[in-house]
Amino acid sequence: MRKILVAGNWKMHGSRAETASLVEGLTAALGDAPVSEVAVCPPFVYLVDAAAALEGSEIRLGAQDLAVEPSGAYTGEIAGTMLRDVGCHFVIVGHSERRSLYGETDGVVAAKYRAAQRDGLVPILCVGETLEEREREVTEAVIERQLRAVLDSAAIASFERAVVAYEPVWAIGTGRTASPEQAQEVHGFIRGILAADDDTIADSVRILYGGSVKPSNAGDLFSMPDVDGGLVGGASLDAGGFAEICRAGG
Ligand code: PEP
């Protein structure tokens, strides 16, 4: 049985004080033993504070991006080893905002996925189609291409230490959520691609849904057989609401 994972992507929001009160509010709302596995991904500069505030809690820490290189003359970049050093367990790779705004290709995403594992982090690999691609009915081809780039570069065994997030671009930050059936269809497709390489690994990998998850729709989404939790943006910035989403997975 796959345990539901709910990860909050705080993007470039908040301040030091707001991060502190969000972590405090979340730990208070969830208690000592959250029913789902829970992770929060604050901006880089607040990771150290968040790690300290999360000490003794079961909530895990994640980062929103990492460098491909392990160290060196790469001004402005943050290495996976540094993220481990400050207490990160997860790192998001291939978020659609990184792909579309910062030109991250499938090749770069695959390199970041491998870098994350090399550096001892669990990548949350995001895949998803744009609205235009959905309307052209090429959703499956897009997802398969994005996934294949990673499978060709890192092999199926790597998915024992990875999480996949299906994030339809048209649903991210738009308030427009995929229906549970739409999500299930793509999640089942993703699991099928992985199963073609290894049934057992495909069955154990967690596939999160992301795109306007909120307290009112989380339960229905998480009840689908291949939806193993959520990657939550906007709604994770409210401690009470995010805690409700986490409880929807219990
Ligand atoms: C995200 O940031 O990955 C996301 C899914 O955002 P939102 O929940 O706001 O749509």
Side-chain angles (χ1 to χ4, degrees):
M1 188 60 190
R2 300 177 294 265
K3 186 169 184 182
I4 291 282
L5 166 64
V6 182
N9 174 12
W10 294 352
K11 309 196 187 193
M12 198 173 74
H13 289 298
S15 62
R16 198 173 182 187
E18 281 163 348
T19 300
S21 78
L22 195 44
V23 172
E24 194 185 309
L26 191 58
T27 46
L30 284 174
D32 284 343
V35 282
S36 311
E37 188 175 348
V38 179
V40 293
C41 305
F44 287 133
V45 292
Y46 302 136
L47 286 170
V48 172
D49 283 353
L54 288 173
E55 230 177 279
S57 133
E58 289 197 20
I59 300 172
R60 293 190 190 270
L61 193 61
Q64 299 173 19
D65 186 26
L66 85 167
V68 171
E69 301 79 10
S71 69
Y74 300 103
T75 302
E77 291 288 277
I78 308 283
T81 49
M82 297 171 180
L83 300 173
R84 277 290 303 163
D85 196 25
V86 300
C88 287
H89 177 82
F90 292 110
V91 62
I92 299 171
V93 300
H95 192 280
S96 68
E97 287 153 18
R98 300 289 327 164
R99 292 179 190 261
S100 68
L101 302 174
Y102 302 99
E104 291 192 8
T105 60
D106 290 339
V108 169
V109 173
K112 289 192 171 189
Y113 173 97
R114 277 189 286 114
Q117 293 192 330
R118 175 198 65 209
D119 295 339
L121 297 159
V122 175
I124 300 177
L125 169 67
C126 300
V127 295
E129 81 288 4
T130 62
L131 183 58
E132 185 267 327
E133 289 164 338
R134 176 159 280 262
E135 284 171 351
R136 268 198 297 127
E137 299 184 358
V138 292
T139 297
E140 292 191 349
V142 170
I143 304 290
E144 181 155 16
R145 190 203 72 223
Q146 292 173 339
L147 213 49
R148 187 62 53 202
V150 174
L151 276 168
D152 287 350
S153 141
I156 187 67
S158 71
F159 282 83
E160 284 180 313
R161 290 172 296 116
V163 173
V164 178
Y166 167 55
E167 296 212 310
V169 179
W170 47 271
I172 299 178
T174 58
R176 188 176 162 192
T177 318
S179 68
E181 293 72 24
Q182 282 174 318
Q184 170 57 31
E185 199 180 345
V186 180
H187 283 229
F189 177 72
I190 291 171
R191 205 176 299 285
I193 292 176
L194 300 175
D197 283 4
D198 190 307
D199 259 351
T200 313
I201 292 175
D203 194 47
S204 66
V205 69
R206 286 180 296 181
I207 307 174
L208 314 183
Y209 167 78
S212 300
V213 175
K214 36 192 180 242
S216 59
N217 60 26
D220 288 343
L221 285 160
F222 298 171
S223 70
M224 302 311 280
D226 288 302
V227 178
D228 308 311
L231 179 53
V232 185
S236 69
L237 295 167
D238 169 67
F242 187 54
E244 252 186 84
I245 294 172
C246 297
R247 279 192 291 268

